[in-house]
Amino acid sequence: MSSLTPAFILDIGLLAMLVMVAIAVVRLRSLFAIVMLQGVYSLISAAWFVSLDAVDVAFTEAAVGAGISTVLMLGAMLLTEREVKPVPMRRQWAPLFIVVVTGMAMFYALGDMPMFGDANSIANATLGVEYVEATKSQIIIPNVVSAVLASYRGYDTFGETVVIFVAGLGIVLLLGLNGNAGRWRAKPNGQDISQIDEQDIS
Amino acid sequence: MKRARKRARANKMGRSENQHIILRVVAKLLIPLIAVYGLYVHFHGDYGPGGGFQAGVIFASSIILYALIFGLDEAKRVVPPSWIRVIMTLGGLVFGGTGVATWLLGGEYLNYTMFAPDSTHAAGQHWGIFAVEIGVLLTVTSVILAIFYAFGSRGGSRRPNNAPNLSDEDKS
């Protein structure tokens, strides 16, 4: 922090870009541009994670955040409007208040955070060191992240896989794999009530 | 408006020959590379960054790219939706089954050492991590494809005529 190393300047630059992209996303009206900028945001944060030596996180962020969710957001955008409806100013004060208060609380809490890369912080000093040391003799693979993820924290990963499975199950049940679940007709007592609904909508 | 009509006519005549030819050629080149890279990320997960989750996302994105360029119907011929339901479940079962296997071998749930208790270089752990990551890969790939198929197949009711088509389904 004390000296202006290239890595520090890079971090500041990436964070400044993140802030600029975020402001642009808030101010833009075109949903297409917003979705694209969200992809840009993910890509910049992936680059920032690499700069913080969190390569696995950066990998996931680049693949999921910049790749898949951009495609999914575009797919979702095609089903709705192209433009954001402008929100009247009087309805923006409450969100602004919440954001400012939360931001101030986070800055207040910043003093209790350990410095970046602090060897004496709780995460680095106790369990982290234990896993790094034990992986050498117990799992014997170079990537400690994989060792922790799949072996030491196997239950957590199993839980995550089940969460992903349940998400897919929910999608399949609600939308159907061919997206035609919405065309299902409700027939209480053998009577087709969908005709009435369609008239109401149109 | 004129452009939209023109495109509609091109759709009817089968625009596949001329339009998007650069996209198609580049995609044909890229898709196998992306798929192989996904597999590399998966099987190299013990040595470098990556693992089942990232590999699943990358592998799914190669099929999504195929769907974006060649249309959802073509992609559904490559990976039929009926497979997705099976693979999705299979992934969870592979992960859970690994735990049951270690259980039956006499260890705790997901205690991979049981696969090779006498190994000096932790072969059991390697096999266990491998099996578990296969489960993650299967589930992640198929769930992402399921989400993409589900959203991509829905024709938007308010979609304007000149909208970029996610799917080639509603061409007619």
Side-chain angles (χ1 to χ4, degrees), chain A residues 1-186:
Chain A
M1 265 303 222
S2 54
S3 61
L4 276 177
T5 58
F8 179 69
I9 296 169
L10 181 71
D11 282 351
I12 296 296
L14 288 173
L15 287 175
M17 282 162 79
L18 282 182
V19 172
M20 283 190 288
V21 172
I23 291 172
V25 166
V26 171
R27 292 197 56 84
L28 274 173
R29 287 273 166 267
S30 160
L31 272 181
F32 183 74
I34 290 175
V35 170
M36 283 301 144
L37 278 180
Q38 279 179 344
V40 171
Y41 188 93
S42 287
L43 206 59
I44 296 173
S45 42
W48 183 51
F49 288 143
V50 173
S51 145
L52 292 180
D53 284 342
V55 199
D56 280 87
V57 184
F59 209 154
T60 314
E61 179 67 41
V64 179
I68 298 291
S69 40
T70 308
V71 172
L72 290 182
M73 292 294 270
L74 279 179
M77 193 195 75
L78 288 179
L79 305 175
T80 65
E81 308 276 345
R82 293 303 151 80
E83 297 265 315
V84 183
K85 284 203 188 93
V87 181
M89 200 59 202
R90 63 190 156 76
R91 277 179 54 198
Q92 293 185 357
W93 291 113
L96 184 71
F97 176 74
I98 293 171
V99 166
V100 167
V101 167
T102 315
M104 275 161 60
M106 286 169 93
F107 268 101
Y108 178 70
L110 211 57
D112 289 342
M113 292 272 286
M115 290 293 287
F116 170 66
D118 184 5
N120 296 320
S121 70
I122 294 173
N124 287 340
T126 54
L127 204 57
V129 176
E130 226 170 86
Y131 281 145
V132 172
E133 291 297 323
T135 300
K136 280 184 215 160
S137 58
Q138 288 178 349
I139 317 279
I140 323 188
I141 58 172
N143 189 358
V144 184
V145 177
S146 281
V148 173
L149 192 102
S151 189
Y152 291 118
R153 286 274 173 265
Y155 276 48
D156 294 1
T157 311
F158 189 32
E160 278 168 27
T161 309
V162 172
V163 165
I164 294 169
F165 170 71
V166 170
L169 199 66
I171 287 284
V172 170
L173 286 176
L174 286 174
L175 299 178
L177 275 172
N178 292 316
N180 55 5
R183 276 167 231 150
W184 178 75
R185 297 274 184 241

Side-chain angles (χ1 to χ4, degrees), chain B residues 23-48:
Chain B
L23 271 181
R24 278 163 195 265
V25 170
V26 173
K28 271 189 178 171
L29 203 69
L30 276 179
I31 287 166
L33 283 179
I34 295 173
V36 170
Y37 183 64
L39 294 177
Y40 162 78
V41 167
H42 178 82
F43 292 110
H44 210 250
D46 290 359
Y47 300 95

Side-chain angles (χ1 to χ4, degrees), chain B residues 28-86:
Chain B
K28 271 189 178 171
L29 203 69
L30 276 179
I31 287 166
L33 283 179
I34 295 173
V36 170
Y37 183 64
L39 294 177
Y40 162 78
V41 167
H42 178 82
F43 292 110
H44 210 250
D46 290 359
Y47 300 95
F53 186 84
Q54 290 93 333
V57 173
I58 292 170
F59 198 79
S61 69
S62 73
I63 295 163
I64 288 179
L65 180 64
Y66 186 82
L68 289 178
I69 306 286
F70 296 94
L72 206 55
D73 285 345
E74 287 292 313
K76 277 180 181 168
R77 281 174 55 209
V78 179
V79 184
S82 54
W83 290 11
I84 287 179
R85 265 185 302 227
V86 177

